[in-house]
Amino acid sequence: MMIDFYEHFPQLKVELEETRSFILTQVTLRNKEIELALNDMILSGGKLLRPAFFYLFSSLGNKEKQEADQLLKIAASLELLHMATLIHDDIIDDSPLRRGTASVQSQYGKDIAVYTGDLLFTVYFDLIAETMENSGFLHKNARAMKRLLLGELDQMKLRYNPNNTVKEYLCSVDGKTAELFALSCLEGAYFGFSSEQTQQLAERIGRNIGIAFQINDDILDYTSNSSALKKPVLEDLCQGIYTLPLLLAMEQAPEIFLPFMNKKQTITIQESAVVAELVKEYHGVEAAFHIATNYTNKALQDIRQLPESVEKQQLLHLTRNLLNRNN
Amino acid sequence: MMIDFYEHFPQLKVELEETRSFILTQVTLRNKEIELALNDMILSGGKLLRPAFFYLFSSLGNKEKQEADQLLKIAASLELLHMATLIHDDIIDDSPLRRGTASVQSQYGKDIAVYTGDLLFTVYFDLIAETMENSGFLHKNARAMKRLLLGELDQMKLRYNPNNTVKEYLCSVDGKTAELFALSCLEGAYFGFSSEQTQQLAERIGRNIGIAFQINDDILDYTSNSSALKKPVLEDLCQGIYTLPLLLAMEQAPEIFLPFMNKKQTITIQESAVVAELVKEYHGVEAAFHIATNYTNKALQDIRQLPESVEKQQLLHLTRNLLNRNN
């Protein structure tokens, strides 16, 4: 999957392969069982989107001043933070699959998953401590990580609540997904020695891409099938996480949806499938796609303001691709 | 409990109260439910041992060079890291009680406990990023945190294994408990501007205190009752964690213990109580106490080598007290 996705970005592909190899060297553990679980996860074909945006933004800057080793470690830190949160999310969600292979918690139990996620936090943290001293970015990372977790906690608090609003949804997404995309782009611009203006644009672009990405992801939960998505569909719905397509469909006809929502945890898989059909019937998917497109367009507009370069074209290309994906 | 424990250390008591108040200010969250859970945990009377040793070692140094604000934040960081690992440990252990009040996971569920622990990691991390740049201690912290987690993972891997050795036990304890004590003492010496020699002694003293402390804790699991200990007794045994008193008793008469151990997860509470009696009968508690005393004596011997001062006497006093506690 990864190789296809970056076929038009040969330089980036090399950088991401290097990032992945480097991450593998960072998770050598005396506990071989966990090392294996992490290796599986690393090699199972994630797109390394956060390192990808980081690298594209770094290449907009002053290449003479850049240090390849520093950039590699920062790219890896972003993916490691993402992986750590994925592992902990899967504990919460009780998710059996992740990237098409068994999640750490389904394979080894919640216990090991808690510590494995924590271990990745320490690796992440060691890498940024090594590469970001005196930049103010250690604090920025801590703040981003905190917002990310608060976004997850917000989402949990809103579970099985049929009165969720679109605003609450967007606030949670801004934390749990957009924050790390924003940080990735900002760090790329900063550690690539771009101008202040590019740095500001980068953070905003990352945030809008992140929101669009998450909405798109939530749409796929309604439109995809399990084999393409490589994770169970309608997972969120069964777990009481009401995402944008459902929230928008409900605005059209609350009386149709409320009887299902009021079943809360007792909703069956069959009923969930009915709700999913209703979401499409009441144009929830189209409306969500429309909002995602707005965020993508904001990002594209900002990208167009970046200094002219090959990388700018690649950013436009990659950002457009990301919203047309079906997995 | 805390107030009694430090009654002979008025200066330290003030510093620890300040540390606790500061920690409270650091866990102000928009999620009030979790804020409350954390406040309960902070106010429920932990001894703040790691900040205590940190402060005692810092006061051996050059007081004119010290910055009160920096010391306060580092003291808090040590307790926050400890709290984060406690919360995650309780998920693994399924522990209903912590410090005499309901554990975060038993009160709010594993889901919230995972993220709450993660949140404390970010607060910890932000504090050390703020106070330790350019000291090499960010890396030392990441390494300590990694060892701590590997110690926990080692312990999990050894569960329900009747062939555990004393060496494996001590190796796990060295990671899961002693590492953070060693770091606390070392950071006290370093950020208090002590000599290199004192720093080296500090780390070793902390490590030996940590090992003695954990052995003592494991002894209490066999000798204490639930109300004094404020957590369920024989918890470790039921969960397949075979600690030093049991391992030493088993060495005396494996044939007596093995039939029980071979029951693994199916051991009943009644059978656990029988094992606990056998552990005492075969002098497992005394033998463990003997080993703990050896570690304490090593620590006391090193403390005596520290520069002469009031604080040195306090360190001797506190270290001796710690091994005679019954809760």
Side-chain angles (χ1 to χ4, degrees), chain B residues 259-317:
Chain B
F260 290 100
M261 301 302 103
N262 287 332
K263 289 178 188 278
K264 299 187 190 264
Q265 284 88 336
T266 68
I267 196 163
T268 65
I269 293 183
Q270 289 76 17
E271 288 164 338
S272 288
V274 174
V275 175
E277 282 310 310
L278 287 169
V279 165
K280 288 177 217 163
E281 206 177 310
Y282 284 87
H283 309 291
V285 168
E286 285 151 79
F289 188 76
H290 182 74
I291 293 181
T293 306
N294 282 347
Y295 282 101
T296 310
N297 287 339
K298 277 191 220 174
L300 292 172
Q301 222 171 336
D302 280 340
I303 294 173
R304 285 190 200 96
Q305 291 185 51
L306 292 170
E308 210 50 65
S309 63
V310 179
E311 288 82 8
K312 172 177 168 175
Q313 295 309 316
Q314 294 195 329
L315 267 172
L316 286 169
H317 188 161

Side-chain angles (χ1 to χ4, degrees), chain A residues 26 28-34 88-89 91-92 110-112 114-116 118-119 121-126 128-129 132-136 138-139 141-143 145-147 149-154 156-157 159 171, chain B residues 26 28-34 88-89 91-92 110-112 114-116 118-119 121-126 128-129 132-136 138-139 141-143 145-147 149-154 156-157 159 171:
Chain A
Q26 295 297 294
T28 310
L29 299 172
R30 68 169 177 257
N31 187 315
K32 291 300 157 194
E33 202 179 28
I34 294 181
H88 281 182
D89 289 353
I91 299 173
I92 313 305
K110 294 199 178 202
D111 310 2
I112 291 207
V114 172
Y115 291 136
T116 305
D118 290 353
L119 259 178
F121 281 134
T122 72
V123 180
Y124 148 75
F125 163 37
D126 208 4
I128 65 172
M132 297 184 182
E133 274 191 315
N134 306 316
S135 66
L138 292 175
H139 174 59
N141 267 267
R143 206 178 45 186
M145 193 173 151
K146 192 173 175 187
R147 286 197 186 141
L149 292 163
L150 289 175
E152 296 281 2
L153 282 164
D154 284 346
M156 282 183 58
K157 214 183 162 182
R159 275 192 191 202
C171 181
Chain B
Q26 295 297 292
T28 310
L29 299 172
R30 66 168 178 258
N31 187 315
K32 292 299 157 192
E33 201 179 29
I34 294 181
H88 282 182
D89 289 355
I91 299 173
I92 312 306
K110 295 201 177 198
D111 308 3
I112 291 207
V114 173
Y115 290 135
T116 305
D118 290 353
L119 259 178
F121 281 134
T122 73
V123 181
Y124 148 74
F125 164 37
D126 209 4
I128 64 172
M132 299 185 182
E133 274 191 314
N134 306 318
S135 66
L138 291 176
H139 174 59
N141 266 268
R143 206 179 44 188
M145 192 172 151
K146 191 173 175 185
R147 284 196 187 142
L149 293 163
L150 289 174
E152 296 281 0
L153 282 164
D154 284 346
M156 282 183 56
K157 213 182 162 181
R159 275 192 189 201
C171 179

Side-chain angles (χ1 to χ4, degrees), chain A residues 150-298:
Chain A
L150 289 175
E152 296 281 2
L153 282 164
D154 284 346
Q155 177 179 290
M156 282 183 58
K157 214 183 162 182
L158 298 170
R159 275 192 191 202
Y160 296 111
N161 182 352
N163 302 317
N164 285 1
T165 63
V166 170
K167 194 180 153 198
E168 285 166 327
Y169 166 86
L170 288 174
C171 181
S172 162
V173 165
D174 190 40
K176 76 167 195 166
T177 310
E179 194 64 35
L180 192 48
F181 274 90
L183 185 70
S184 302
C185 296
L186 173 61
E187 286 185 354
Y190 180 88
F191 292 100
F193 296 91
S194 283
S195 68
E196 280 268 348
Q197 203 202 346
T198 299
Q199 290 172 37
Q200 279 175 20
L201 280 171
E203 186 167 20
R204 200 165 67 192
I205 291 166
R207 192 167 301 278
N208 286 324
I209 289 174
I211 297 175
F213 175 78
Q214 184 61 56
I215 296 175
N216 194 31
D217 211 50
D218 291 337
I219 290 174
L220 289 171
D221 203 35
Y222 284 92
T223 58
S224 189
N225 58 53
S226 191
S227 76
L229 196 59
K230 296 199 174 175
K231 65 174 190 175
V233 289
L234 298 184
E235 204 180 54
D236 284 345
L237 181 54
C238 294
Q239 285 171 4
I241 300 168
Y242 303 149
T243 59
L244 195 56
L246 175 59
L247 295 174
L248 293 170
M250 273 182 87
E251 281 182 358
Q252 298 303 310
E255 72 286 358
I256 302 283
F257 289 93
L258 276 175
F260 290 101
M261 301 302 101
N262 287 332
K263 289 177 188 278
K264 298 185 190 263
Q265 284 89 335
T266 68
I267 196 165
T268 64
I269 294 184
Q270 289 76 17
E271 287 164 338
S272 287
V274 174
V275 174
E277 282 310 310
L278 287 169
V279 165
K280 288 177 217 163
E281 207 176 309
Y282 284 87
H283 309 291
V285 168
E286 285 151 79
F289 188 76
H290 183 74
I291 293 181
T293 306
N294 282 346
Y295 282 101
T296 310
N297 286 340
K298 277 191 220 172

